[in-house]
Amino acid sequence: YHFINSNSKRQKGNSCGYICASLAMTFYNLLGSPVSNWINHDSLIYAEPDIILYNQILGLEGNDAQYLDSVQIFSLVSTLTEDKNLPWFFTVDVNLFKAMVKTSFSNVSLPRSNGKKWAVFAVNDAILDDEKRQMALRTNSCHGSHWFTALLILDGEAAINPN
């Protein structure tokens, strides 16, 4: 599988959530192209989201990036891709993501394109246990300070070696 980290030297302020949404949209738009383009496309390496436009979409005032919560990121991705269901997009905390990696994503239903299973994960750096995760889900509160993006691409039924 392939990861793209949305934290770069070019990142301005709290733009990590915007970058996650931008990368998710770009990847979604690449699905019709050959698989080799999925991970080698320049726009996946240098994501520069339009903060002003994204704030307008979200109904946020100002021209500066704000720290986005999972619902805002989900809403932004849904609007940008015109996909209201987003069965391929997940917002998770880092511990839940690590648990998914350990189980080779076997408990996650992943869509297929070009013979590959795929998904986009917006991973928050919050370190949550099950109890804190449930509370965060109920209140939509963010405990971390950064989002990064993970693009998951699997060959058919191939399992991931978590070691």
Side-chain angles (χ1 to χ4, degrees), residues 91-97 99 126-141 143:
T91 55
V92 298
D93 64 87
V94 69
N95 279 351
L96 182 56
F97 187 74
I127 299 173
L128 304 178
D129 58 23
D130 289 338
E131 183 180 327
K132 288 180 183 175
R133 185 175 305 114
Q134 290 303 317
M135 179 60 77
L137 289 172
R138 283 194 297 276
T139 62
N140 190 38
S141 58
H143 297 277

Short mmCIF file of all heavy atoms in Angstrom, two decimals, residues 91-97 99 126-141 143:
data_model
loop_
_atom_site.label_atom_id
_atom_site.label_comp_id
_atom_site.label_asym_id
_atom_site.label_seq_id
_atom_site.Cartn_x
_atom_site.Cartn_y
_atom_site.Cartn_z
N THR A 91 -12.30 8.79 8.03
CA THR A 91 -11.59 9.65 8.97
C THR A 91 -11.43 8.86 10.26
O THR A 91 -12.42 8.42 10.84
CB THR A 91 -12.35 10.97 9.23
OG1 THR A 91 -13.66 10.67 9.68
CG2 THR A 91 -12.42 11.83 7.99
N VAL A 92 -10.18 8.65 10.66
CA VAL A 92 -9.89 7.79 11.81
C VAL A 92 -8.75 8.38 12.64
O VAL A 92 -7.99 9.21 12.15
CB VAL A 92 -9.50 6.35 11.37
CG1 VAL A 92 -10.64 5.67 10.64
CG2 VAL A 92 -8.25 6.35 10.50
N ASP A 93 -8.64 7.93 13.89
CA ASP A 93 -7.49 8.31 14.71
C ASP A 93 -6.34 7.35 14.43
O ASP A 93 -6.54 6.27 13.85
CB ASP A 93 -7.86 8.34 16.20
CG ASP A 93 -8.23 6.98 16.72
OD1 ASP A 93 -7.33 6.22 17.14
OD2 ASP A 93 -9.44 6.65 16.71
N VAL A 94 -5.16 7.73 14.83
CA VAL A 94 -3.97 6.96 14.48
C VAL A 94 -3.99 5.55 15.08
O VAL A 94 -3.55 4.60 14.42
CB VAL A 94 -2.67 7.74 14.84
CG1 VAL A 94 -2.48 7.84 16.34
CG2 VAL A 94 -1.46 7.15 14.16
N ASN A 95 -4.51 5.37 16.30
CA ASN A 95 -4.56 4.03 16.87
C ASN A 95 -5.51 3.12 16.11
O ASN A 95 -5.22 1.94 15.91
CB ASN A 95 -4.94 4.07 18.35
CG ASN A 95 -3.77 4.41 19.25
OD1 ASN A 95 -2.63 4.45 18.80
ND2 ASN A 95 -4.06 4.67 20.51
N LEU A 96 -6.65 3.65 15.69
CA LEU A 96 -7.59 2.84 14.91
C LEU A 96 -6.96 2.49 13.57
O LEU A 96 -7.08 1.35 13.10
CB LEU A 96 -8.91 3.60 14.71
CG LEU A 96 -9.99 2.86 13.94
CD1 LEU A 96 -10.32 1.52 14.59
CD2 LEU A 96 -11.25 3.73 13.83
N PHE A 97 -6.25 3.43 12.96
CA PHE A 97 -5.59 3.15 11.68
C PHE A 97 -4.53 2.05 11.85
O PHE A 97 -4.45 1.13 11.04
CB PHE A 97 -4.96 4.41 11.10
CG PHE A 97 -4.41 4.21 9.72
CD1 PHE A 97 -5.25 4.10 8.64
CD2 PHE A 97 -3.04 4.10 9.52
CE1 PHE A 97 -4.76 3.89 7.36
CE2 PHE A 97 -2.53 3.89 8.25
CZ PHE A 97 -3.39 3.79 7.17
N ALA A 99 -4.53 -0.30 14.06
CA ALA A 99 -5.26 -1.56 14.26
C ALA A 99 -5.73 -2.12 12.92
O ALA A 99 -5.69 -3.34 12.69
CB ALA A 99 -6.43 -1.36 15.21
N ALA A 126 -4.37 12.07 16.95
CA ALA A 126 -4.84 11.82 18.33
C ALA A 126 -4.61 10.36 18.69
O ALA A 126 -4.84 9.46 17.89
CB ALA A 126 -6.33 12.14 18.44
N ILE A 127 -4.13 10.13 19.90
CA ILE A 127 -3.91 8.78 20.40
C ILE A 127 -5.07 8.45 21.32
O ILE A 127 -5.12 8.89 22.46
CB ILE A 127 -2.55 8.67 21.11
CG1 ILE A 127 -1.44 9.00 20.11
CG2 ILE A 127 -2.36 7.29 21.71
CD1 ILE A 127 -0.06 9.10 20.71
N LEU A 128 -6.04 7.71 20.77
CA LEU A 128 -7.27 7.42 21.49
C LEU A 128 -7.40 5.94 21.81
O LEU A 128 -7.04 5.09 20.99
CB LEU A 128 -8.49 7.85 20.66
CG LEU A 128 -8.54 9.30 20.18
CD1 LEU A 128 -9.78 9.51 19.33
CD2 LEU A 128 -8.51 10.25 21.36
N ASP A 129 -7.94 5.63 22.98
CA ASP A 129 -8.34 4.27 23.27
C ASP A 129 -9.81 4.15 22.87
O ASP A 129 -10.42 5.11 22.40
CB ASP A 129 -8.12 3.92 24.74
CG ASP A 129 -8.85 4.84 25.71
OD1 ASP A 129 -9.86 5.46 25.32
OD2 ASP A 129 -8.41 4.94 26.86
N ASP A 130 -10.40 2.97 23.03
CA ASP A 130 -11.78 2.76 22.58
C ASP A 130 -12.76 3.72 23.25
O ASP A 130 -13.66 4.26 22.61
CB ASP A 130 -12.21 1.31 22.83
CG ASP A 130 -11.53 0.34 21.88
OD1 ASP A 130 -11.07 0.78 20.80
OD2 ASP A 130 -11.43 -0.86 22.22
N GLU A 131 -12.59 3.96 24.55
CA GLU A 131 -13.50 4.83 25.29
C GLU A 131 -13.42 6.27 24.78
O GLU A 131 -14.44 6.93 24.52
CB GLU A 131 -13.20 4.78 26.79
CG GLU A 131 -14.15 5.60 27.63
CD GLU A 131 -13.80 5.51 29.13
OE1 GLU A 131 -13.31 4.45 29.58
OE2 GLU A 131 -14.03 6.51 29.81
N LYS A 132 -12.20 6.78 24.63
CA LYS A 132 -12.03 8.15 24.13
C LYS A 132 -12.52 8.28 22.69
O LYS A 132 -13.07 9.31 22.30
CB LYS A 132 -10.56 8.57 24.22
CG LYS A 132 -10.08 8.83 25.63
CD LYS A 132 -8.62 9.22 25.63
CE LYS A 132 -8.11 9.42 27.05
NZ LYS A 132 -6.67 9.68 27.06
N ARG A 133 -12.32 7.23 21.88
CA ARG A 133 -12.78 7.25 20.50
C ARG A 133 -14.30 7.34 20.45
O ARG A 133 -14.87 8.10 19.66
CB ARG A 133 -12.31 5.99 19.77
CG ARG A 133 -12.65 5.98 18.29
CD ARG A 133 -12.06 4.77 17.57
NE ARG A 133 -10.62 4.70 17.77
CZ ARG A 133 -10.00 3.72 18.45
NH1 ARG A 133 -10.69 2.73 18.99
NH2 ARG A 133 -8.69 3.74 18.59
N GLN A 134 -14.99 6.57 21.29
CA GLN A 134 -16.45 6.62 21.33
C GLN A 134 -16.93 8.01 21.73
O GLN A 134 -17.89 8.54 21.17
CB GLN A 134 -17.02 5.55 22.28
CG GLN A 134 -16.86 4.14 21.76
CD GLN A 134 -17.50 3.95 20.39
OE1 GLN A 134 -18.60 4.40 20.14
NE2 GLN A 134 -16.78 3.28 19.50
N MET A 135 -16.29 8.61 22.72
CA MET A 135 -16.66 9.96 23.14
C MET A 135 -16.41 10.97 22.01
O MET A 135 -17.25 11.84 21.76
CB MET A 135 -15.87 10.37 24.39
CG MET A 135 -16.20 11.78 24.87
SD MET A 135 -17.92 12.02 25.30
CE MET A 135 -17.95 11.22 26.89
N ALA A 136 -15.30 10.83 21.33
CA ALA A 136 -14.99 11.73 20.22
C ALA A 136 -16.02 11.59 19.11
O ALA A 136 -16.44 12.59 18.50
CB ALA A 136 -13.58 11.45 19.69
N LEU A 137 -16.47 10.37 18.83
CA LEU A 137 -17.49 10.16 17.81
C LEU A 137 -18.82 10.79 18.20
O LEU A 137 -19.51 11.38 17.36
CB LEU A 137 -17.68 8.66 17.55
CG LEU A 137 -16.54 7.96 16.82
CD1 LEU A 137 -16.75 6.46 16.81
CD2 LEU A 137 -16.41 8.49 15.41
N ARG A 138 -19.18 10.67 19.46
CA ARG A 138 -20.46 11.23 19.93
C ARG A 138 -20.45 12.76 19.90
O ARG A 138 -21.46 13.39 19.62
CB ARG A 138 -20.78 10.75 21.34
CG ARG A 138 -21.29 9.33 21.40
CD ARG A 138 -21.90 9.01 22.75
NE ARG A 138 -20.97 9.08 23.86
CZ ARG A 138 -20.15 8.09 24.24
NH1 ARG A 138 -20.16 6.96 23.59
NH2 ARG A 138 -19.34 8.25 25.26
N THR A 139 -19.32 13.36 20.20
CA THR A 139 -19.25 14.82 20.30
C THR A 139 -18.58 15.48 19.10
O THR A 139 -18.52 16.71 19.03
CB THR A 139 -18.46 15.22 21.57
OG1 THR A 139 -17.12 14.72 21.45
CG2 THR A 139 -19.12 14.67 22.83
N ASN A 140 -18.07 14.68 18.17
CA ASN A 140 -17.31 15.17 17.03
C ASN A 140 -16.19 16.10 17.47
O ASN A 140 -15.94 17.15 16.88
CB ASN A 140 -18.19 15.86 15.98
CG ASN A 140 -17.41 16.13 14.71
OD1 ASN A 140 -16.60 15.31 14.30
ND2 ASN A 140 -17.62 17.27 14.10
N SER A 141 -15.53 15.72 18.54
CA SER A 141 -14.41 16.52 19.02
C SER A 141 -13.11 15.95 18.48
O SER A 141 -12.98 14.75 18.28
CB SER A 141 -14.39 16.54 20.55
OG SER A 141 -14.31 15.24 21.06
N HIS A 143 -9.12 15.50 19.06
CA HIS A 143 -8.14 15.52 20.15
C HIS A 143 -6.72 15.72 19.64
O HIS A 143 -5.84 16.02 20.42
CB HIS A 143 -8.23 14.20 20.94
CG HIS A 143 -9.56 14.02 21.60
ND1 HIS A 143 -9.87 14.58 22.81
CD2 HIS A 143 -10.66 13.36 21.21
CE1 HIS A 143 -11.10 14.27 23.15
NE2 HIS A 143 -11.61 13.53 22.19
#
